[in-house]
Amino acid sequence: MRLRAGPPVLDTDAALVARAREGDEDAFELLYRRHRRVVHGVLLSRVPPREVADALQEAFTRALAKLPSLRDPAQFGPWVVTIARNLSVDLLRRPTFEVVDDPLGATAPMADALAVLELIRQLPEAYRETLVLRLVEGLTGAEIAVATGKTEGSVRVNLHRGMTRLRARLRDPEMQ
Amino acid sequence: MEHPEFDDYLWRGRGLEDPEVAALEQRLRPLRELGQRETFSPTSASVTSQRRRRVSHWRTVVAAVACAAGLTLAWLSRGRDVDSPAAVAGGSGQHSELRLTASGSLAPLAVERAAQWGRCHVGSGEGRAVVTLDLDAGGPGSLTVEGAPARLAVCLRSVASALRTDVTSGDLRLELDFHPRTQERR
């Protein structure tokens, strides 16, 4: 008789938060891997692209430090998204610095991607985050709603209106 | 649904493909991995910065020391009731002290930033850490930060970030001395 392994049992966020609070580094690492794409998208829609790498780590560093204060461990996802949003506000308040050697945009595809991102970043805030999560990170509308704590209806509207505005900008030669 | 003409592909990412949306996804694809790291590694942030900023040696040292100390403090705090009502109210509770001693031409600025960012993140609004400043003008300075280790970790991380963004030259040495202890709050 051949035994077949069943599907792996995935820990819930609440279980991982509980383990992380007990000092389990692997548990926090899993939380990072599970939510980093969403946090990355949130930051990409708000802070300069060259800041995203540092900001992503800083957002989770803050989450780790504040983990004891998280009231509902099951809401780790929307909670860390809120931390990322607040962090982006802090980062934009800090003094700017001189960029000596900017490796971003060194290749044509990356330069083109950054140009489109810039158009998205000029849209109203409500549309920016949703469009980046959908078009860059590849999340579905339903996944965006769960990850950000918004209603599906709100995400639908933001996606539709944001896309309409983005299409208009892409077709406007003065915006290119 | 507010928009009956809503494009199903835009919502679900599959099904009948909207060519314009699909083309945008393709163009934006390079950004997906921009700044992504497979693992949680906050100390690597300072290393990344070196590639694009005029980072002098001292700033690398500052960032590395502060990040490492911050991470250590964060993990030292694991499992502790750092938000206990007693600690918030100023009564008996888990209490730690971090002494940061700075020397060199940039010592005053470092201490100023440490106090500034420390207050920003762990100040009276959260009421769980106290920053005191003892600085002789132009000379070595010292900073004592008291509070829950997790708060100190945030403070140090912020100091490192602030220092490396607004100073381009100078020298600085930092010494960190951490004392986890339980005592009556002052």
Side-chain angles (χ1 to χ4, degrees):
Chain A
M1 187 173 68
R2 182 180 289 176
L3 292 176
R4 249 187 230 171
V9 179
L10 296 177
D11 284 323
T12 63
D13 279 1
L16 290 175
V17 167
R19 283 167 49 195
R21 281 174 168 168
E22 296 298 316
D24 185 339
E25 297 181 33
D26 292 339
F28 193 79
E29 185 70 40
L30 283 172
L31 286 168
Y32 170 81
R33 292 185 185 184
R34 190 174 287 180
H35 296 280
R36 72 184 164 107
R37 187 161 294 285
V38 173
V39 173
H40 182 262
V42 168
L43 293 168
L44 201 57
S45 71
R46 290 161 188 266
V47 304
R50 72 178 69 88
E51 288 288 292
V52 169
D54 283 5
L56 180 63
Q57 297 298 321
E58 185 161 348
F60 279 90
T61 302
R62 288 188 179 189
L64 176 61
K66 294 182 176 181
L67 208 53
S69 67
L70 173 58
R71 290 180 183 172
D72 182 359
Q75 291 298 307
F76 179 85
W79 180 71
V80 75
V81 162
T82 301
I83 288 175
R85 288 178 186 142
N86 292 337
L87 171 63
S88 67
V89 173
D90 291 347
L91 289 177
L92 293 175
R93 282 180 184 156
R94 289 182 190 175
T96 55
F97 53 87
E98 180 185 3
V99 178
V100 177
D101 177 23
D102 190 352
L104 298 184
T107 63
M110 180 59 86
D112 181 54
L114 290 170
V116 177
L117 177 66
E118 187 52 36
L119 290 180
I120 295 175
R121 286 162 55 90
Q122 291 170 7
L123 297 175
E125 186 173 326
Y127 307 147
R128 269 184 266 157
E129 184 177 292
T130 313
L131 281 180
V132 169
L133 289 174
R134 172 64 189 85
L135 299 174
V136 178
E137 307 298 345
L139 273 65
T140 67
E143 288 169 339
I144 294 170
V146 171
T148 60
K150 293 176 182 169
T151 64
E152 289 198 2
S154 173
V155 173
R156 276 182 189 277
V157 169
N158 288 344
L159 268 180
H160 180 81
R161 293 181 181 171
M163 195 61 209
T164 300
R165 291 202 185 199
L166 182 58
R167 281 189 170 111
R169 283 175 176 266
L170 287 166
R171 287 169 185 156
D172 183 350
E174 291 186 4
M175 292 291 183
Q176 300 299 306
Chain B
M1 189 184 303
E2 184 176 342
H3 302 283
E5 75 281 20
F6 186 83
D7 180 5
D8 190 51
Y9 181 77
L10 183 59
W11 176 255
R12 296 195 306 150
R14 55 181 182 273
L16 185 61
E17 187 174 286
D18 178 328
E20 198 168 8
V21 174
L24 270 176
E25 286 180 291
Q26 194 64 34
R27 290 175 71 182
L28 289 165
R29 185 64 51 84
L31 296 174
R32 189 176 286 190
E33 300 308 319
L34 179 68
Q36 290 260 22
R37 296 193 188 100
E38 288 294 321
T39 57
F40 175 53
S41 54
T43 53
S44 61
S46 60
V47 177
T48 308
S49 304
Q50 292 176 57
R51 291 201 302 267
R52 61 178 187 271
R53 295 173 186 161
R54 186 177 294 147
V55 179
S56 54
H57 177 67
W58 73 265
R59 276 194 287 169
T60 306
V61 173
V62 169
V65 169
C67 287
L71 194 62
T72 303
L73 290 169
W75 280 104
L76 280 170
S77 72
R78 65 191 189 276
R80 291 179 184 174
D81 186 14
V82 296
D83 292 327
S84 71
V88 175
S92 175
Q94 192 69 45
H95 193 59
S96 307
E97 179 181 292
L98 176 83
R99 179 153 297 160
L100 183 153
T101 305
S103 58
S105 63
L106 288 166
L109 181 63
V111 177
E112 177 193 323
R113 288 288 182 274
Q116 175 187 340
W117 286 96
R119 284 202 182 94
C120 175
H121 290 282
V122 296
S124 58
E126 296 181 343
R128 298 181 190 104
V130 178
V131 177
T132 55
L133 186 62
D134 178 17
L135 174 66
D136 297 326
S142 68
L143 174 77
T144 301
V145 188
E146 298 176 354
R151 305 285 165 189
L152 302 186
V154 176
C155 174
L156 278 178
R157 183 77 177 84
S158 302
V159 170
S161 297
L163 280 174
R164 73 171 194 263
T165 57
D166 63 353
V167 181
T168 55
S169 64
D171 67 285
L172 177 72
R173 289 179 301 281
L174 289 178
E175 291 178 14
L176 296 171
D177 193 12
F178 177 60
H179 302 281
R181 58 197 164 98
T182 300
Q183 68 170 38
E184 194 72 20
R185 279 200 158 211
R186 282 180 292 185

